[in-house]
Amino acid sequence: MSASRLTARRAGTVAAVGAALVLLAAGAASAHVTVHPESYAKGATDGVLTFRVPNEEDSASTTKVQVFLPTDHPVLGVLVHPQDGWTAKVTTTKLKTPVKTDDGTITEAASEITFSGGKIGAGQYEDFDVAFGQLPDDTGRLVFKTLQTYSDGKTVRWIEEPGGGQEPENPAPVLKLTAGDATAAPAPAKTAATTAEAAGTSDSTARGLGIAGLVVGVLGLAAAAFALVRGRAARS
């Protein structure tokens, strides 16, 4: 095989691999259930957690979402924001260790929130807002194991906890709790404008990744063409 053909083949391979990596990164970035914001101060009060649930299936809709709240480090004063088309059910559990607060001793806390009756179609996502009265101050993170059920009966279990520096295949939403001002103002409630802004940011990121992939491909083709032209010039 001539040097020019070998160079052209390598350039084409680089272009294909680069484009594939870009597409894989774009898909992995938004596939699993997540909680927002990603962190709060330990013991934070009067805030809002948003659970973002994307639909991964092309031929089925998400019809039920179950979010499990830890009871060893309970989230107190849980309230669910009404969601068009969805019914929310909050299940409470008696705590093994009651929590003492300024308002008294808490013996029960929410352990599960089930959203049902709605539908998340292919290529769509839904944000579920949950307000809290107080977060625990005796742990560094909260893991919200989540089950996502589809219209075809399939259930995806987002229950794996991160560890070892590598993200698991089905990671659970994790909220980091940091040492900070627990009385800081909570995140502002979402409006149509902020939702549109978030969607625009996500769309811009996806376009950026797509453009990067095209640039890699074009550079690879240009290298291949240059190698062929140089090879022909050398033979002539």
Side-chain angles (χ1 to χ4, degrees):
M1 182 180 292
S2 66
S4 61
R5 289 184 178 179
L6 181 59
T7 302
R9 174 172 293 185
R10 287 177 177 173
T13 301
V14 169
V17 171
L21 289 175
V22 168
L23 292 176
L24 286 174
S30 59
H32 54 271
V33 178
T34 52
V35 62
H36 304 272
E38 296 180 351
S39 65
Y40 251 113
K42 293 181 178 181
T45 57
D46 301 326
V48 176
L49 298 176
T50 298
F51 294 91
R52 175 160 295 179
V53 182
N55 190 86
E56 296 186 301
E57 300 294 323
D58 295 329
S59 58
S61 301
T62 296
T63 56
K64 184 167 70 171
V65 177
Q66 296 165 267
V67 180
F68 295 89
L69 286 68
T71 55
D72 53 345
H73 303 287
V75 178
L76 306 180
V78 168
L79 294 174
V80 179
H81 188 277
Q83 197 83 358
D84 289 344
W86 294 86
T87 299
K89 178 183 177 183
V90 179
T91 301
T92 59
T93 298
K94 188 172 183 178
L95 300 175
K96 293 182 178 179
T97 304
V99 179
K100 294 182 179 181
T101 70
D102 295 338
D103 298 324
T105 301
I106 307 298
T107 59
E108 291 186 346
S111 58
E112 178 185 346
I113 305 174
T114 300
F115 300 93
S116 61
K119 182 175 71 173
I120 307 174
Q124 299 177 344
Y125 72 89
E126 191 81 54
D127 281 347
F128 298 95
D129 290 341
V130 177
F132 62 83
Q134 184 174 337
L135 296 177
D137 58 5
D138 57 351
T139 184
R141 70 180 185 182
L142 295 176
V143 179
F144 299 97
K145 297 182 179 182
T146 304
L147 302 184
Q148 181 178 9
T149 301
Y150 287 90
S151 55
D152 60 2
K154 177 182 177 181
T155 298
V156 180
R157 300 168 60 84
W158 303 103
I159 61 173
E160 298 179 74
E161 298 188 28
Q166 185 174 3
E167 185 177 65
E169 182 177 354
N170 293 316
V174 176
L175 177 70
K176 297 178 182 178
L177 297 181
T178 62
D181 184 3
T183 61
K190 291 198 308 297
T191 63
T194 56
T195 301
E197 181 181 354
T201 301
S202 176
D203 186 53
S204 297
T205 301
R207 284 199 299 267
L209 290 171
I211 292 172
L214 290 175
V215 171
V216 173
V218 170
L219 290 176
L221 291 175
F226 177 76
L228 290 174
V229 171
R230 187 175 63 178
R232 289 176 182 173
R235 286 195 299 272
S236 64

